[in-house]
């Protein structure tokens, strides 16, 4: 049974947080080892010290704590604080995690004392050593250190959300530090009658519409492994590496899932804005050069004729009264089972192009979204 993409994303985030905590936990143990030297007793508490056991307990404890934080962030806090400013997120979430951290470290401290003394965790001697420990600075120094790790993990998570899922990893690993050529699929998705809608709503309410509109696309894009390349006003550009986009027709399923989600939330759009946004999309596949640009502000960009062609294909949707137009280049690569849903509309010479391209109209078989 294949794991749902949403849950894969949760596990990846939990694992990332776990590894960050684990790394800093090991660093803490190494610094502590250097400070303790050959000592086997903590000077401030009188508790026993053993480097190997410290590595074991702190390493495992840090990884588990980080994993829990990552899971809470992905499953709960991300949506709960979606519209809040960064400072508010760090303050409120930091306070929550600080309380959680104190409880967690208290549990670890009692477990270690219970192990060393070979007594029950609820034995008066174990609890006595624990209360001595939390009443002294060493315990709070650990809290301060852990709070710093927590803040770093939260900040990196927010940066990842701001620059795009996967982009931070690419920047960190330097994947596109040197430009590379690759085959990618692009979907240019544009809201219909956006100018008329903006005039009727006013720019502030129109902006709120765009925020809600794009937020409902997020799960669909992530579930189909898409990467948001750009927001251009009322247009969003989504991209897939060749293999990922073609697998199970992920690139086409993305439009289906977006349509289903918007349809499911028709009532919300109607109550807030008096309309339900409609949209059209153009698809194309081809070679691009991908690389980092910029000094003051770095960005990963794609260059190649495929982007202009995909944009022109999307612009032809009105001409053919189509929700979706797909290039013949892409259709040839999709799973054969989906070909029955496509109708060839012609081989037009797109604006600014020297060669005509076969275009196919797609009418997806939509089903109501069940929620996620």
């Amino acid at each position: 049974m294949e794991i749902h993409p949403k849950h894969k994303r949760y596990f990846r985030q939990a694992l990332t947080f776990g590894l960050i905590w684990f790394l800093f936990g090991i660093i803490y143990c190494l610094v502590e080892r250097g400070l303790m030297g050959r000592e086997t007793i903590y000077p401030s508490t009188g508790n026993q010290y053993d480097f190997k056991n410290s590595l074991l307990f702190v390493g495992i404890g840090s990884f588990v704590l980080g994993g829990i934080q990552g899971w809470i962030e992905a499953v709960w806090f991300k949506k709960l604080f979606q519209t809040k400013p960064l400072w508010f997120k760090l303050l409120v979430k930091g306070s929550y995690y600080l309380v959680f951290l104190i409880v967690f470290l208290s549990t670890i401290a009692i477990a270690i004392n219970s192990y060393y003394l070979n007594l029950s965790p609820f034995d008066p001697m174990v609890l006595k050593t624990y209360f001595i420990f939390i009443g002294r600075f060493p315990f709070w120094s650990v809290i301060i250190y852990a709070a710093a790790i927590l803040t770093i993990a939260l900040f990196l998570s927010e940066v990842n959300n701001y620059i795009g899922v996967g982009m931070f990893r690419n920047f960190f690993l330097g994947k596109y530090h040197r430009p590379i050529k690759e085959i990618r699929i692009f979907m240019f998705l544009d809201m219909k009658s956006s100018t008329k809608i903006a005039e009727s709503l006013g720019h502030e309410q129109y902006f709120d519409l765009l925020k809600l509109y794009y937020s409902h696309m997020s799960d669909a894009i992530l579930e189909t492994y898409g990467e948001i390349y750009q927001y251009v006003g009322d247009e969003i550009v989504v991209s897939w590496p060749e293999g990922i986009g073609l697998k199970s027709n992920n690139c086409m399923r993305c439009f289906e899932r977006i349509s289903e989600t918007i349809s499911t939330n028709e009532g919300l759009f109607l109550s807030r804005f008096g309309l339900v946004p409609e949209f059209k999309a153009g698809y194309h596949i081809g070679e691009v050069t991908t690389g980092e640009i910029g000094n003051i502000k770095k960005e990963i960009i794609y260059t190649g004729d495929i982007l202009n062609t995909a944009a022109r294909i999307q612009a032809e949707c009105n001409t053919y009264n189509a929700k979706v137009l797909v290039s013949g280049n892409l259709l040839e690569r999709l799973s054969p089972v989906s070909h029955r849903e496509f109708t060839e509309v012609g081989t037009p010479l797109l604006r600014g192009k020297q060669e005509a391209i076969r275009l196919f109209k797609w009418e997806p078989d939509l089903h109501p979204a069940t929620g996620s």
Side-chain angles (χ1 to χ4, degrees), residues 276-307:
V276 179
E278 297 182 35
F279 40 90
K280 55 189 186 294
Y283 281 91
H284 193 34
I285 185 173
E287 184 180 78
V288 292
T289 297
T290 311
E292 291 181 22
I293 63 166
N295 292 320
I296 298 176
K297 178 182 181 296
K298 286 191 175 294
E299 192 171 352
I300 293 175
I301 69 164
Y302 306 110
T303 59
D305 184 63
I306 172 184
L307 283 93

Side-chain angles (χ1 to χ4, degrees), residues 73 76-85 88-90 92-93 96 158:
E73 282 292 312
W76 184 24
F77 277 173
K78 185 174 182 179
K79 287 187 177 180
L80 188 63
F81 293 94
Q82 188 172 347
T83 60
K84 303 300 181 183
F88 184 85
K89 294 178 186 178
L90 293 179
V92 176
K93 291 197 288 187
Y96 169 84
E158 291 299 325

Side-chain angles (χ1 to χ4, degrees), residues 243-262:
I244 294 175
L246 293 175
K247 183 180 179 183
S248 303
N249 288 339
N250 275 324
C251 59
M252 308 308 298
R253 288 197 307 109
C254 182
F255 185 89
E256 289 180 320
R257 289 288 294 114
I258 290 173
S259 299
E260 290 165 356
T261 303
I262 298 297

Side-chain angles (χ1 to χ4, degrees), residues 40-174:
T40 58
I41 300 293
Y42 286 104
S44 57
T45 62
N47 294 335
Q48 295 183 47
Y49 167 73
D50 179 82
F51 177 61
K52 292 182 179 179
N53 285 328
S54 179
L55 272 179
L56 178 65
F57 280 105
V58 173
I60 294 175
S62 297
F63 182 79
V64 171
L65 180 58
I68 292 173
Q69 183 192 3
W71 188 265
I72 292 174
E73 282 292 312
V75 176
W76 184 24
F77 277 173
K78 185 174 182 179
K79 287 187 177 180
L80 188 63
F81 293 94
Q82 188 172 347
T83 60
K84 303 300 181 183
L86 180 59
W87 70 266
F88 184 85
K89 294 178 186 178
L90 293 179
L91 178 63
V92 176
K93 291 197 288 187
S95 300
Y96 169 84
Y97 285 126
L98 186 60
V99 174
F100 177 79
L101 185 62
I102 293 173
V103 173
F104 186 87
L105 291 180
S106 295
T107 303
I108 293 294
I110 291 173
I112 291 175
N113 287 336
S114 174
Y115 173 81
Y116 280 136
L117 298 174
N118 196 27
L119 297 171
S120 165
F122 303 102
D123 187 277
M125 181 61 69
V126 172
L127 296 177
K128 179 181 178 181
T129 56
Y130 162 70
F131 284 118
I132 292 174
F133 176 51
I134 65 170
R136 297 183 178 178
F137 181 72
F139 175 78
W140 296 105
S141 68
V142 174
I143 294 294
I144 293 171
Y145 181 79
I149 304 171
L150 185 153
T151 304
I152 291 171
L154 281 178
F155 183 74
L156 292 179
S157 175
E158 291 299 325
V159 168
N160 187 52
N161 289 335
Y162 273 98
I163 68 176
V165 176
M167 287 295 183
F168 180 78
R169 180 178 65 251
N170 290 334
F171 277 122
F172 183 77
L173 297 176

